[in-house]
Amino acid sequence: MHQCRVYFNIGLPYNKEKFFALLKKKKTPKEIKPEDISVLYLEDVEKELQNFGVNYKKSTHSLQVNVNEEYEVYISDMVRDVIVPFIGKEEWLLNLQRRYNLEYTLEIVPTIDLDCEEVKPCLSLDQDIIEFLYVSNTQLDMDYEVLEKNQ
């Protein structure tokens, strides 16, 4: 069965030297707490998102907003579900980004099962999504996993 996870990631400023030093000590990213790496503005950005009314999950040094794991063949449809609250609010996103030195990334993480007889995911993005990424100064990251036969 094919799967996909799509979310809008808000990267917070943090001390990268501390982060990589902890990784060298064999800590996993999930074991590292925000205070261990001096993450800045976490509470402020959380409050902004709560006031805006979107759902998010905390990560080590980022917030995963509007996580969508309801698989659809057309990945653009999944992406649109994630970004729809921000359409028309790009200026708000840009102001937030400037105020707190944030990095925005649209994360698309499909899992493609080669044994599955279903139609493979369509990983193209529609023009309105590409325009949103440009206007909101958002990067695109696609990390896909392919499950080989009999895996």
Side-chain angles (χ1 to χ4, degrees):
M1 182 162 103
H2 305 304
Q3 301 173 344
C4 191
R5 184 170 196 253
V6 178
Y7 58 94
F8 189 81
N9 194 69
I10 299 178
L12 299 157
Y14 66 99
N15 187 317
K16 290 176 176 55
E17 291 173 7
K18 286 182 181 180
F19 181 73
F20 289 112
L22 290 169
L23 289 177
K24 285 182 183 178
K25 292 180 182 178
K26 306 294 184 205
K27 282 202 167 197
T28 66
K30 288 186 179 187
E31 295 173 313
I32 300 172
K33 296 181 176 78
E35 57 271 15
D36 295 339
I37 56 174
S38 305
V39 172
L40 301 175
Y41 312 122
L42 176 61
E43 294 83 15
D44 296 324
V45 175
E46 281 186 292
K47 187 174 182 175
E48 294 273 2
L49 292 175
Q50 289 164 359
N51 289 340
F52 193 74
V54 292
N55 297 317
Y56 63 90
K57 295 179 183 179
K58 288 184 192 179
S59 184
T60 304
H61 51 78
S62 67
L63 299 169
Q64 299 173 357
V65 180
N66 293 339
V67 177
N68 184 358
E69 296 179 299
E70 293 184 30
Y71 176 73
E72 296 184 42
V73 171
Y74 294 101
I75 302 303
S76 277
D77 292 340
M78 293 182 71
V79 169
R80 197 167 287 104
D81 289 343
V82 168
I83 65 171
V84 75
F86 299 124
I87 301 293
K89 308 288 187 205
E90 293 87 356
E91 194 60 41
W92 178 80
L93 283 171
L94 292 172
N95 287 335
L96 197 66
Q97 188 177 53
R98 284 189 288 269
R99 192 172 340 134
Y100 298 114
N101 193 28
L102 305 174
E103 293 181 7
Y104 297 147
T105 309
L106 177 66
E107 299 282 349
I108 303 173
V109 188
T111 300
I112 302 166
D113 184 350
L114 296 179
D115 282 336
C116 183
E117 297 296 324
E118 295 175 6
V119 175
K120 305 293 185 258
C122 176
L123 299 174
S124 64
L125 296 178
D126 294 339
Q127 182 64 37
D128 62 319
I129 294 169
I130 294 168
E131 187 175 315
F132 168 79
L133 295 174
Y134 175 75
V135 171
S136 64
N137 195 29
T138 301
Q139 301 297 311
L140 174 64
D141 183 36
M142 190 175 299
D143 295 324
Y144 60 91
E145 180 180 346
V146 176
L147 302 177
E148 295 184 26
K149 294 193 179 284
N150 302 318
Q151 192 177 31

